[in-house]
Amino acid sequence: MIPDVPIGAWVETAIEWLRLHLGGFFDTVAELLRQLLSVVYHVLVLPHPLLLTAVLAGIAWLTLRGWRAPTATVAGLLLVQAMELWRETLQSLSVVLVASVVAVAVGVPIGIWAARSDRVRAVTRPVLDFMQTMPVFVYLLPAVFFFGIGVVPGVVATTIFAVPPAVRLTELGIRQVDREVVEAAVAFGARPRQILRDVQLPLAVPSIMAGINQVIMLALSMVVVAGLVGGGGLGAVVVRAITQLDIGRGFEGGIAVVVLAIYLDRVTAGAGRRLA
């Protein structure tokens, strides 16, 4: 007879222990994230919508060097404004930017560490496999337990969900650097940190930028799911439309998500090609 393994009970016990002993830490993190989100959102909402549209179109032109991308950007963002979803779009963009920056700040150093240490790679690989195969809704449960209902658990869950591509593609990019180039740097007397800074990281930029692109796309996909726990933005629009069976509004929210996703994907991909 197979014995019962109460994994769920163990997880609940661990979460309760963390809430009891680290409650102050989670409160501090929640407040920092709220303040950071507030700053980013107010920076985005401060200029007139048409001015911000022009700025975003200019960024698209600088990264993609053509008239099609800015034209599509202006058309898409004007459509979002016409659907009266501009503020919700900026709320979602704020969450994506904050979560992506945190995910990259965590994932890239871990990827560098894993690329330079086989032991670290052996540890991180199954963890990343576990994180990438875990259903996205599962990330929301502990986030809600630790941070309550609102935008903060959405940001935390989004960040955790988006970390793996940054780790994997950073490690892959560094490991794929030609060994002869590294050996030549060693022959000239370069130290390990100099090799990393001046040789490996510059040559790994295309892979790292691809990882950042994937981080942003995963963060945006998670923002909609985070609407289930009060994450606000376009996720809240879609969730509200589902609960009210409002097909038209749900379709409009979906279009706004698509516009934002295409813009972020093209701009980050173009930036990656220019930095390569």
Side-chain angles (χ1 to χ4, degrees), residues 56 59-61 63-64 68-77 79-80 89 93 96 213 216-218 220-221 234 253-271 273:
L56 295 176
I59 294 173
W61 181 82
T63 55
L64 297 171
R68 293 183 180 179
T71 303
T73 298
V74 170
L77 294 179
L79 177 61
V80 170
T89 300
L93 181 58
V96 169
N213 176 272
I216 293 174
M217 291 298 99
L218 288 179
L220 185 57
S221 68
L234 295 174
I255 291 176
V257 172
V258 170
V259 170
L260 190 57
I262 292 176
Y263 175 79
L264 293 174
D265 177 62
R266 298 296 187 271
V267 168
T268 53
R273 288 193 296 268

Side-chain angles (χ1 to χ4, degrees), residues 41-89:
Y41 174 72
H42 282 92
V43 169
L44 292 175
V45 80
L46 182 62
H48 190 276
L50 294 179
L51 177 59
L52 183 58
T53 298
V55 171
L56 295 176
I59 294 173
W61 181 82
L62 288 174
T63 55
L64 297 171
R65 293 295 184 183
W67 59 269
R68 293 183 180 179
T71 303
T73 298
V74 170
L77 294 179
L78 289 179
L79 177 61
V80 170
Q81 295 171 38
M83 295 186 298
E84 298 183 352
L85 289 174
W86 183 246
R87 287 187 175 271
E88 290 82 357
T89 300

Side-chain angles (χ1 to χ4, degrees), residues 5-44:
V5 181
I7 294 179
W10 295 343
V11 172
E12 290 181 1
T13 301
I15 291 177
E16 289 296 334
W17 186 90
L18 290 172
R19 289 181 61 188
L20 179 63
H21 293 85
L22 297 177
F25 169 75
F26 292 124
D27 291 341
T28 301
V29 171
E31 185 60 27
L32 288 174
L33 288 176
R34 288 192 193 96
Q35 294 297 328
L36 185 57
L37 283 168
S38 178
V39 170
V40 174
Y41 174 72
H42 282 92
V43 169
L44 292 175

Side-chain angles (χ1 to χ4, degrees), residues 113-129:
W113 193 15
R116 295 170 64 85
S117 172
D118 291 334
R119 290 183 179 179
V120 175
R121 183 190 187 190
V123 173
T124 57
R125 187 171 182 178
V127 173
L128 295 175
D129 290 340

Side-chain angles (χ1 to χ4, degrees), residues 110 120-134 139 160 163-164 167-168:
I110 295 176
V120 175
R121 183 190 187 190
V123 173
T124 57
R125 187 171 182 178
V127 173
L128 295 175
D129 290 340
F130 177 82
M131 292 175 66
Q132 288 187 296
T133 54
M134 179 69 69
Y139 289 101
I160 296 173
V163 163
V167 179
R168 288 190 185 278

Side-chain angles (χ1 to χ4, degrees), residues 90-112:
L90 294 185
Q91 289 173 356
S92 294
L93 181 58
S94 301
V95 173
V96 169
L97 292 177
V98 171
S100 298
V101 168
V102 176
V104 170
V106 172
V108 170
I110 295 176
I112 294 172

